[in-house]
Coordinates of all heavy atoms in Angstrom, one line a residue:
M1 N 92.3 84.7 104.7 CA 91.4 85.8 104.6 C 91.7 86.6 103.4 O 92.9 86.8 103.1 CB 91.4 86.6 105.9 CG 91.0 86.0 107.1 SD 89.4 86.7 107.6 CE 89.2 86.0 109.2
K2 N 90.7 87.2 102.8 CA 90.8 88.1 101.7 C 91.0 89.5 102.3 O 90.2 89.9 103.2 CB 89.7 88.1 100.8 CG 89.8 89.1 99.7 CD 88.7 89.0 98.7 CE 88.8 90.1 97.8 NZ 88.7 89.8 96.4
L3 N 92.1 90.2 101.9 CA 92.3 91.6 102.5 C 91.9 92.6 101.5 O 92.2 92.5 100.3 CB 93.8 91.8 102.8 CG 94.4 91.0 103.9 CD1 95.8 91.4 104.1 CD2 93.6 91.3 105.2
M4 N 91.1 93.6 101.9 CA 90.7 94.8 101.1 C 91.3 96.0 101.8 O 91.4 96.1 103.0 CB 89.2 94.8 101.0 CG 88.6 93.6 100.3 SD 86.8 93.5 100.4 CE 86.6 93.3 102.1
G5 N 91.7 97.0 101.0 CA 92.2 98.2 101.5 C 93.7 98.1 101.8 O 94.2 98.9 102.7
I6 N 94.4 97.1 101.2 CA 95.8 96.9 101.5 C 96.7 98.0 101.2 O 97.8 98.2 101.7 CB 96.2 95.6 100.9 CG1 97.5 95.0 101.5 CG2 96.3 95.7 99.4 CD1 97.8 93.6 101.2
S7 N 96.2 98.9 100.3 CA 97.0 100.1 99.9 C 97.3 101.0 101.1 O 98.4 101.6 101.2 CB 96.4 100.9 98.8 OG 95.1 101.4 99.3
K8 N 96.4 101.0 102.1 CA 96.6 101.7 103.3 C 97.8 101.2 104.1 O 98.6 101.9 104.7 CB 95.4 101.8 104.2 CG 94.3 102.5 103.5 CD 93.0 102.5 104.3 CE 91.9 103.2 103.6 NZ 90.6 102.7 103.8
L9 N 98.0 99.9 104.1 CA 99.1 99.3 104.8 C 100.4 99.5 104.0 O 101.4 99.8 104.6 CB 98.9 97.8 104.9 CG 97.9 97.3 106.0 CD1 97.6 95.8 105.9 CD2 98.2 97.8 107.3
A10 N 100.3 99.5 102.7 CA 101.5 99.8 101.9 C 102.0 101.2 102.1 O 103.2 101.4 102.2 CB 101.2 99.5 100.4
E11 N 101.0 102.1 102.2 CA 101.4 103.5 102.4 C 102.1 103.7 103.8 O 103.1 104.4 103.9 CB 100.2 104.4 102.3 CG 100.5 105.9 102.5 CD 99.3 106.8 102.3 OE1 98.3 106.3 101.8 OE2 99.3 107.9 102.8
L12 N 101.5 103.0 104.8 CA 102.1 103.1 106.1 C 103.5 102.5 106.1 O 104.4 103.1 106.7 CB 101.2 102.4 107.1 CG 101.8 102.3 108.5 CD1 102.1 103.6 109.1 CD2 100.9 101.5 109.4
A13 N 103.7 101.4 105.4 CA 105.0 100.8 105.3 C 106.0 101.7 104.7 O 107.2 101.8 105.1 CB 104.9 99.5 104.5
R14 N 105.6 102.5 103.6 CA 106.5 103.4 103.0 C 106.8 104.6 103.9 O 108.0 105.0 104.0 CB 105.9 104.0 101.7 CG 106.0 103.1 100.5 CD 105.6 103.9 99.2 NE 104.3 104.4 99.3 CZ 103.1 103.8 99.0 NH1 103.2 102.5 98.7 NH2 102.0 104.4 99.1
N15 N 105.8 105.1 104.6 CA 106.0 106.3 105.5 C 106.8 106.0 106.8 O 107.4 106.9 107.3 CB 104.7 106.9 105.8 CG 104.0 107.5 104.6 OD1 104.6 107.8 103.6 ND2 102.7 107.6 104.6
A16 N 106.6 104.8 107.3 CA 107.2 104.5 108.6 C 108.2 103.3 108.5 O 108.4 102.6 109.4 CB 106.1 104.2 109.6
R17 N 108.9 103.2 107.3 CA 109.7 102.0 107.1 C 110.7 101.7 108.1 O 110.9 100.6 108.6 CB 110.3 102.0 105.7 CG 111.2 103.1 105.5 CD 111.8 103.1 104.1 NE 112.5 104.4 103.8 CZ 111.9 105.4 103.2 NH1 110.8 105.3 102.6 NH2 112.6 106.5 103.0
D18 N 111.5 102.7 108.6 CA 112.5 102.5 109.5 C 112.0 102.2 110.9 O 112.5 101.4 111.7 CB 113.5 103.7 109.6 CG 114.2 103.8 108.3 OD1 114.4 102.8 107.6 OD2 114.7 105.0 108.0
V19 N 110.9 102.9 111.3 CA 110.3 102.8 112.6 C 109.6 101.4 112.8 O 109.8 100.8 113.9 CB 109.2 103.9 112.8 CG1 108.6 103.7 114.2 CG2 109.9 105.2 112.7
L20 N 108.9 100.9 111.8 CA 108.2 99.6 112.0 C 109.0 98.4 111.5 O 108.6 97.3 111.8 CB 106.8 99.7 111.2 CG 105.9 100.7 111.8 CD1 104.6 100.8 110.9 CD2 105.5 100.4 113.2
D21 N 110.0 98.6 110.8 CA 111.0 97.6 110.4 C 110.4 96.2 110.1 O 110.6 95.3 110.9 CB 112.1 97.5 111.5 CG 113.3 96.7 111.1 OD1 113.6 96.7 109.9 OD2 113.9 96.0 111.9
G22 N 109.6 96.1 109.1 CA 109.1 94.8 108.7 C 107.8 94.4 109.3 O 107.3 93.3 109.0
A23 N 107.3 95.2 110.2 CA 106.0 94.8 110.9 C 104.8 94.7 109.9 O 104.0 93.9 110.1 CB 105.7 95.8 112.0
I24 N 104.8 95.6 108.9 CA 103.7 95.6 108.0 C 103.6 94.3 107.1 O 102.6 93.7 107.0 CB 103.6 96.9 107.1 CG1 103.5 98.1 107.9 CG2 102.5 96.8 106.1 CD1 102.3 98.2 108.8
P25 N 104.7 93.9 106.5 CA 104.7 92.7 105.7 C 104.3 91.5 106.6 O 103.6 90.6 106.2 CB 106.1 92.5 105.1 CG 106.7 93.9 105.1 CD 106.0 94.6 106.3
A26 N 104.8 91.5 107.8 CA 104.5 90.4 108.7 C 103.0 90.4 109.1 O 102.4 89.3 109.1 CB 105.3 90.5 110.0
L27 N 102.4 91.6 109.3 CA 101.0 91.6 109.6 C 100.2 91.2 108.4 O 99.2 90.4 108.5 CB 100.6 93.1 110.0 CG 99.1 93.3 110.3 CD1 98.7 92.5 111.5 CD2 98.9 94.8 110.6
V28 N 100.5 91.6 107.2 CA 99.8 91.2 106.0 C 99.8 89.7 105.9 O 98.8 89.1 105.6 CB 100.4 91.9 104.7 CG1 99.9 91.3 103.5 CG2 100.1 93.4 104.8
A29 N 101.0 89.1 106.0 CA 101.1 87.6 105.9 C 100.2 87.0 106.9 O 99.5 86.0 106.6 CB 102.6 87.2 106.1
E30 N 100.2 87.5 108.2 CA 99.4 86.8 109.2 C 97.9 87.0 108.9 O 97.1 86.0 109.1 CB 99.7 87.5 110.6 CG 101.1 87.1 111.1 CD 101.5 87.8 112.3 OE1 101.0 88.9 112.6 OE2 102.4 87.3 113.0
L31 N 97.5 88.2 108.4 CA 96.1 88.4 108.1 C 95.6 87.5 106.9 O 94.6 87.0 106.9 CB 95.8 89.9 107.9 CG 95.9 90.8 109.1 CD1 95.8 92.2 108.6 CD2 94.9 90.4 110.2
E32 N 96.5 87.4 105.9 CA 96.1 86.7 104.7 C 96.0 85.2 105.0 O 95.2 84.5 104.4 CB 97.1 86.9 103.6 CG 97.0 88.3 102.9 CD 98.0 88.5 101.8 OE1 99.1 88.0 101.9 OE2 97.6 89.3 100.9
T33 N 96.9 84.7 105.9 CA 96.9 83.2 106.1 C 95.9 82.8 107.3 O 95.7 81.7 107.5 CB 98.3 82.7 106.4 OG1 98.8 83.4 107.6 CG2 99.2 82.9 105.3
G34 N 95.4 83.8 108.0 CA 94.5 83.6 109.1 C 93.2 82.9 108.6 O 92.7 83.2 107.5
T35 N 92.7 82.0 109.4 CA 91.4 81.4 109.1 C 90.5 81.4 110.3 O 89.8 80.4 110.7 CB 91.6 79.9 108.7 OG1 92.3 79.2 109.7 CG2 92.3 79.8 107.3
W36 N 90.5 82.6 111.0 CA 89.7 82.7 112.2 C 88.2 82.6 112.0 O 87.7 83.1 111.0 CB 90.0 84.0 112.9 CG 91.5 84.2 113.1 CD1 92.2 83.6 114.1 CD2 92.4 85.0 112.4 NE1 93.6 84.0 114.0 CE2 93.7 84.9 112.9 CE3 92.2 85.9 111.2 CZ2 94.8 85.5 112.4 CZ3 93.4 86.5 110.7 CH2 94.6 86.3 111.3
Q37 N 87.5 82.0 112.9 CA 86.1 81.8 112.8 C 85.3 82.9 113.5 O 84.1 83.0 113.3 CB 85.6 80.4 113.3 CG 86.3 79.3 112.5 CD 86.0 79.3 111.0 OE1 84.8 79.4 110.6 NE2 87.0 79.3 110.2
S38 N 86.0 83.7 114.3 CA 85.4 84.8 115.0 C 86.5 85.8 115.3 O 87.7 85.5 115.3 CB 84.7 84.3 116.3 OG 85.7 83.9 117.2
T39 N 86.0 87.1 115.7 CA 87.0 88.1 116.1 C 87.5 87.7 117.4 O 88.7 88.2 117.8 CB 86.3 89.5 116.1 OG1 85.1 89.4 116.9 CG2 86.0 90.0 114.7
E40 N 86.8 86.9 118.2 CA 87.4 86.5 119.5 C 88.6 85.6 119.2 O 89.6 85.7 120.0 CB 86.3 85.7 120.3 CG 85.3 86.6 120.9 CD 84.2 87.0 119.9 OE1 84.1 86.3 118.8 OE2 83.4 87.9 120.2
E41 N 88.6 84.7 118.2 CA 89.7 83.9 117.8 C 90.9 84.8 117.4 O 92.0 84.6 117.6 CB 89.4 82.9 116.7 CG 88.6 81.7 117.2 CD 88.4 80.7 116.1 OE1 89.1 80.7 115.1 OE2 87.5 79.9 116.2
M42 N 90.5 85.9 116.6 CA 91.6 86.9 116.2 C 92.2 87.5 117.4 O 93.4 87.7 117.4 CB 91.0 88.0 115.3 CG 90.6 87.6 113.9 SD 90.1 89.0 112.9 CE 91.6 89.8 112.6
A43 N 91.4 87.8 118.4 CA 92.0 88.4 119.6 C 92.9 87.5 120.4 O 93.9 88.0 121.0 CB 90.8 88.9 120.6
E44 N 92.7 86.2 120.3 CA 93.6 85.3 120.9 C 94.9 85.2 120.1 O 96.0 85.1 120.7 CB 93.0 83.9 120.9 CG 91.8 83.7 121.9 CD 91.1 82.4 121.8 OE1 91.7 81.4 121.2 OE2 90.0 82.3 122.3
F45 N 94.9 85.4 118.8 CA 96.1 85.4 118.0 C 96.8 86.7 118.1 O 98.1 86.7 118.1 CB 95.7 85.2 116.5 CG 96.8 84.9 115.6 CD1 97.4 83.7 115.5 CD2 97.4 86.0 114.9 CE1 98.5 83.5 114.7 CE2 98.5 85.8 114.0 CZ 99.0 84.5 113.9
F46 N 96.1 87.8 118.3 CA 96.7 89.1 118.5 C 96.3 89.6 119.9 O 95.3 90.4 120.0 CB 96.2 90.1 117.4 CG 96.5 89.8 116.0 CD1 95.5 89.3 115.2 CD2 97.8 90.0 115.5 CE1 95.8 89.0 113.8 CE2 98.1 89.7 114.2 CZ 97.1 89.2 113.3
P47 N 97.0 89.2 120.9 CA 96.5 89.4 122.3 C 96.5 90.9 122.7 O 95.7 91.3 123.6 CB 97.6 88.7 123.2 CG 98.6 88.2 122.3 CD 98.2 88.3 120.9
A48 N 97.2 91.8 122.0 CA 97.1 93.2 122.3 C 96.0 93.9 121.5 O 95.8 95.1 121.7 CB 98.5 93.9 122.0
A49 N 95.3 93.2 120.7 CA 94.2 93.8 119.9 C 93.1 94.2 120.7 O 92.8 93.6 121.8 CB 93.8 92.8 118.8
V50 N 92.4 95.2 120.3 CA 91.1 95.7 121.0 C 90.0 95.3 120.0 O 90.0 95.7 118.8 CB 91.1 97.2 121.3 CG1 89.8 97.6 121.8 CG2 92.3 97.5 122.2
V51 N 89.1 94.5 120.4 CA 88.0 94.0 119.6 C 86.6 94.5 120.1 O 86.3 94.5 121.3 CB 88.0 92.5 119.6 CG1 86.8 91.9 118.8 CG2 89.3 91.9 119.1
D52 N 85.9 95.0 119.1 CA 84.5 95.5 119.5 C 83.6 95.1 118.3 O 83.5 95.7 117.3 CB 84.5 97.0 119.6 CG 83.1 97.6 120.0 OD1 82.2 96.8 120.3 OD2 82.9 98.8 120.0
G53 N 83.0 93.9 118.4 CA 82.2 93.4 117.4 C 83.1 93.0 116.2 O 84.0 92.2 116.4
M54 N 82.8 93.6 115.0 CA 83.6 93.3 113.8 C 84.9 94.2 113.8 O 85.7 94.0 113.0 CB 82.8 93.5 112.6 CG 81.7 92.5 112.4 SD 80.7 92.7 110.9 CE 81.9 92.6 109.6
K55 N 84.9 95.2 114.6 CA 86.0 96.2 114.6 C 87.2 95.6 115.4 O 87.0 95.2 116.5 CB 85.6 97.5 115.2 CG 84.6 98.2 114.4 CD 84.2 99.5 115.0 CE 83.1 100.2 114.2 NZ 82.7 101.5 114.8
V56 N 88.4 95.7 114.8 CA 89.6 95.2 115.4 C 90.6 96.3 115.3 O 90.9 96.8 114.2 CB 90.1 93.9 114.8 CG1 91.4 93.4 115.5 CG2 89.0 92.8 114.8
L57 N 91.2 96.7 116.4 CA 92.3 97.7 116.5 C 93.6 96.9 116.9 O 93.6 96.3 117.9 CB 92.0 98.8 117.4 CG 93.0 99.9 117.6 CD1 92.3 101.2 118.0 CD2 94.1 99.6 118.5
I58 N 94.6 97.0 116.0 CA 95.9 96.4 116.3 C 96.9 97.5 116.4 O 97.2 98.2 115.5 CB 96.3 95.4 115.2 CG1 95.2 94.3 115.1 CG2 97.7 94.8 115.5 CD1 95.4 93.3 113.9
R59 N 97.5 97.5 117.6 CA 98.6 98.5 117.8 C 99.9 97.9 117.3 O 100.2 96.7 117.7 CB 98.7 98.9 119.3 CG 97.5 99.8 119.7 CD 97.7 100.3 121.1 NE 96.6 101.3 121.3 CZ 95.4 100.9 121.8 NH1 95.1 99.6 122.1 NH2 94.4 101.8 122.0
L60 N 100.7 98.7 116.6 CA 101.9 98.2 116.0 C 103.1 98.7 116.8 O 104.2 98.3 116.5 CB 102.1 98.6 114.6 CG 101.0 98.1 113.6 CD1 101.3 98.7 112.2 CD2 101.1 96.6 113.6
G61 N 102.9 99.5 117.8 CA 104.0 100.0 118.6 C 104.5 101.3 117.9 O 104.1 101.6 116.8
A62 N 105.4 102.0 118.5 CA 106.0 103.2 117.9 C 104.9 104.2 117.5 O 105.1 105.0 116.7 CB 106.9 102.9 116.8
G63 N 103.7 104.1 118.2 CA 102.7 105.1 117.9 C 101.8 104.9 116.7 O 101.2 105.8 116.2
Y64 N 101.8 103.6 116.2 CA 101.0 103.3 115.0 C 100.0 102.3 115.3 O 100.2 101.5 116.2 CB 102.0 102.8 113.8 CG 102.9 103.9 113.3 CD1 104.2 104.0 113.8 CD2 102.5 104.8 112.4 CE1 105.0 105.0 113.3 CE2 103.3 105.8 111.9 CZ 104.6 105.9 112.4 OH 105.4 106.8 111.9
R65 N 98.9 102.3 114.5 CA 97.9 101.3 114.6 C 97.2 100.9 113.3 O 97.3 101.7 112.4 CB 96.8 101.7 115.6 CG 95.9 102.8 115.1 CD 94.8 103.1 116.1 NE 93.7 103.7 115.5 CZ 93.5 105.0 115.2 NH1 94.5 105.9 115.6 NH2 92.5 105.5 114.6
V66 N 96.5 99.8 113.3 CA 95.7 99.4 112.1 C 94.3 99.1 112.6 O 94.2 98.4 113.6 CB 96.3 98.2 111.4 CG1 95.5 97.7 110.3 CG2 97.8 98.5 110.9
D67 N 93.3 99.7 112.0 CA 91.9 99.5 112.3 C 91.4 98.7 111.2 O 91.5 99.0 110.0 CB 91.2 100.8 112.4 CG 91.6 101.8 113.5 OD1 92.3 101.3 114.4 OD2 91.3 102.9 113.4
L68 N 90.7 97.6 111.5 CA 90.1 96.8 110.5 C 88.7 96.3 110.9 O 88.3 96.3 112.0 CB 91.0 95.6 110.1 CG 91.9 95.0 111.1 CD1 91.4 93.6 111.5 CD2 93.2 94.8 110.5
L69 N 88.0 96.0 109.8 CA 86.7 95.3 110.0 C 86.9 93.9 109.5 O 87.3 93.7 108.4 CB 85.6 96.0 109.2 CG 85.1 97.4 109.6 CD1 84.1 97.9 108.6 CD2 84.5 97.3 111.0
A70 N 86.6 92.9 110.4 CA 86.8 91.5 110.1 C 85.4 90.8 110.0 O 84.7 90.8 111.0 CB 87.7 90.9 111.1
D71 N 85.1 90.3 108.9 CA 84.0 89.4 108.7 C 84.5 88.0 108.6 O 84.8 87.5 107.5 CB 83.2 89.8 107.5 CG 81.9 89.0 107.3 OD1 81.8 87.9 107.9 OD2 81.0 89.5 106.6
C72 N 84.6 87.3 109.7 CA 85.2 86.0 109.8 C 84.4 85.0 109.1 O 84.9 84.0 108.5 CB 85.5 85.6 111.3 SG 86.7 86.7 112.0
E73 N 83.0 85.1 109.1 CA 82.2 84.2 108.4 C 82.5 84.2 106.9 O 82.6 83.2 106.2 CB 80.7 84.5 108.7 CG 79.8 83.5 108.1 CD 78.3 83.8 108.5 OE1 78.1 84.0 109.7 OE2 77.5 83.8 107.6
A74 N 82.6 85.4 106.3 CA 82.9 85.6 104.9 C 84.4 85.5 104.6 O 84.8 85.5 103.5 CB 82.4 86.9 104.4
Q75 N 85.3 85.4 105.7 CA 86.7 85.3 105.5 C 87.3 86.5 104.8 O 88.1 86.4 103.9 CB 87.1 84.0 104.9 CG 86.9 82.8 105.7 CD 87.8 82.7 106.9 OE1 89.0 82.6 106.8 NE2 87.3 82.9 108.1
M76 N 86.8 87.7 105.2 CA 87.2 89.0 104.6 C 87.6 90.0 105.6 O 86.9 90.1 106.7 CB 86.1 89.5 103.7 CG 85.7 88.6 102.6 SD 84.3 89.2 101.6 CE 85.0 90.5 100.7
I77 N 88.6 90.8 105.3 CA 89.0 91.9 106.2 C 89.2 93.1 105.4 O 89.8 93.1 104.4 CB 90.4 91.5 106.9 CG1 90.3 90.3 107.8 CG2 91.0 92.7 107.6 CD1 91.6 89.9 108.4
L78 N 88.6 94.2 105.9 CA 88.7 95.5 105.3 C 89.6 96.4 106.2 O 89.4 96.6 107.4 CB 87.4 96.2 105.2 CG 87.4 97.7 104.8 CD1 88.0 97.8 103.3 CD2 86.0 98.3 104.9
I79 N 90.8 96.8 105.6 CA 91.6 97.7 106.4 C 91.0 99.1 106.3 O 90.9 99.7 105.2 CB 93.1 97.8 105.7 CG1 93.6 96.4 105.5 CG2 94.0 98.7 106.5 CD1 93.8 95.6 106.8
E80 N 90.5 99.6 107.4 CA 89.9 100.9 107.5 C 90.9 102.1 107.6 O 90.7 103.1 107.0 CB 88.9 101.0 108.6 CG 87.6 100.3 108.4 CD 86.6 100.7 109.5 OE1 87.0 100.6 110.7 OE2 85.5 101.1 109.1
Y81 N 91.9 101.8 108.4 CA 92.9 102.9 108.7 C 94.2 102.2 109.1 O 94.2 101.2 109.7 CB 92.4 103.7 109.9 CG 93.4 104.7 110.3 CD1 93.7 105.9 109.6 CD2 94.2 104.5 111.5 CE1 94.6 106.8 110.0 CE2 95.1 105.4 111.9 CZ 95.4 106.6 111.1 OH 96.3 107.5 111.5
A82 N 95.3 102.8 108.6 CA 96.6 102.4 109.0 C 97.5 103.6 109.1 O 97.7 104.3 108.1 CB 97.2 101.4 108.0
G83 N 97.9 103.9 110.3 CA 98.7 105.1 110.5 C 99.0 105.4 112.0 O 99.0 104.5 112.8
S84 N 99.2 106.7 112.3 CA 99.5 107.1 113.7 C 98.3 106.8 114.6 O 97.2 106.9 114.2 CB 100.0 108.5 113.7 OG 98.9 109.4 113.6
E85 N 98.7 106.7 115.9 CA 97.6 106.5 116.9 C 96.7 107.6 117.0 O 95.5 107.5 117.4 CB 98.3 106.3 118.3 CG 98.9 104.9 118.5 CD 97.9 103.9 118.9 OE1 96.8 104.2 119.2 OE2 98.4 102.7 119.1
T86 N 97.1 108.8 116.6 CA 96.3 110.0 116.8 C 95.5 110.4 115.5 O 94.8 111.3 115.5 CB 97.2 111.2 117.2 OG1 98.2 111.4 116.2 CG2 97.8 111.0 118.5
G87 N 95.7 109.6 114.4 CA 95.1 109.9 113.2 C 93.7 109.3 113.0 O 93.2 108.6 113.8
A88 N 93.0 109.7 111.9 CA 91.7 109.3 111.5 C 90.8 108.9 112.6 O 90.3 109.8 113.3 CB 91.9 108.1 110.5
R89 N 90.5 107.7 112.8 CA 89.5 107.3 113.9 C 90.3 107.2 115.2 O 90.8 106.2 115.6 CB 89.0 105.9 113.6 CG 87.8 105.8 112.7 CD 87.2 104.5 112.6 NE 87.6 103.5 113.7 CZ 87.6 102.2 113.6 NH1 87.1 101.7 112.5 NH2 87.9 101.5 114.6
A90 N 90.3 108.3 115.9 CA 90.9 108.3 117.2 C 90.0 107.6 118.3 O 90.4 107.5 119.4 CB 91.2 109.7 117.7
D91 N 88.9 107.0 117.8 CA 88.0 106.3 118.7 C 88.7 105.0 119.1 O 88.7 104.0 118.3 CB 86.7 106.0 118.0 CG 85.8 105.1 118.8 OD1 85.9 105.1 120.0 OD2 84.9 104.5 118.1
K92 N 89.2 104.9 120.3 CA 89.9 103.7 120.7 C 89.1 102.9 121.8 O 89.6 102.1 122.5 CB 91.2 104.0 121.3 CG 92.1 104.7 120.3 CD 93.4 105.2 121.0 CE 94.1 106.1 120.0 NZ 95.2 106.8 120.7
T93 N 87.8 103.2 121.8 CA 86.9 102.5 122.8 C 86.6 101.1 122.2 O 86.8 100.8 121.1 CB 85.6 103.2 123.0 OG1 84.9 103.3 121.8 CG2 85.9 104.6 123.6
G94 N 86.2 100.3 123.1 CA 85.8 98.9 122.7 C 86.3 98.0 123.8 O 86.9 98.4 124.8
S95 N 85.9 96.8 123.7 CA 86.2 95.8 124.8 C 87.2 94.8 124.2 O 87.1 94.4 123.1 CB 85.0 95.1 125.3 OG 84.3 94.5 124.3
K96 N 88.2 94.5 125.1 CA 89.1 93.5 124.7 C 88.4 92.1 124.8 O 87.9 91.8 125.8 CB 90.3 93.5 125.7 CG 91.3 92.4 125.5 CD 92.6 92.9 125.0 CE 93.7 91.9 125.0 NZ 93.6 90.9 124.0
A97 N 88.5 91.4 123.7 CA 87.8 90.1 123.7 C 88.7 89.1 124.5 O 89.9 89.2 124.5 CB 87.6 89.6 122.3
A98 N 88.1 88.2 125.2 CA 88.9 87.2 126.0 C 89.0 85.9 125.2 O 88.4 85.6 124.3 CB 88.2 87.0 127.3

């Protein structure tokens, strides 16, 4: 997948480096190499993710999350937000895809 907005993940990695201990580079690698055909497939790969249409929320633990828009047909992901659970889009509603 092509990742856009990756600077948000880089900033989170700098700000929470000790707390997340390598989680950001691992997430980037997983997202870049992913070839999911739907967000439902992404939800299977990331079982703790919350999926609502194209919106995907991935909790990283330690109070951090990443919000993304995934266009699986175009094989593109936009990182909308990467930071604390209480920041930016505190909207955590959505349905967990099965």
Side-chain angles (χ1 to χ4, degrees):
M1 292 252 190
K2 177 177 172 132
L3 290 182
M4 297 172 291
I6 198 166
S7 62
K8 293 175 181 149
L9 289 174
E11 183 179 341
L12 176 58
R14 277 191 309 277
N15 293 338
R17 64 181 166 259
D18 294 335
V19 176
L20 294 176
D21 192 32
I24 300 300
L27 179 62
V28 169
E30 289 171 339
L31 291 174
E32 285 180 332
T33 59
T35 56
W36 305 285
Q37 299 303 306
S38 67
T39 52
E40 289 79 14
E41 282 184 21
M42 285 184 76
E44 290 174 15
F45 189 82
F46 298 105
V50 177
V51 176
D52 184 10
M54 291 177 64
K55 295 179 183 183
V56 180
L57 182 154
I58 299 173
R59 288 188 175 86
L60 298 176
Y64 293 96
R65 74 173 202 274
V66 176
D67 298 342
L68 28 113
L69 289 177
D71 185 339
C72 294
E73 187 174 312
Q75 291 291 292
M76 298 173 76
I77 293 175
L78 172 65
I79 309 299
E80 285 192 306
Y81 175 76
S84 75
E85 285 276 356
T86 58
R89 270 188 20 198
D91 173 26
K92 299 175 192 168
T93 61
S95 59
K96 173 114 169 75

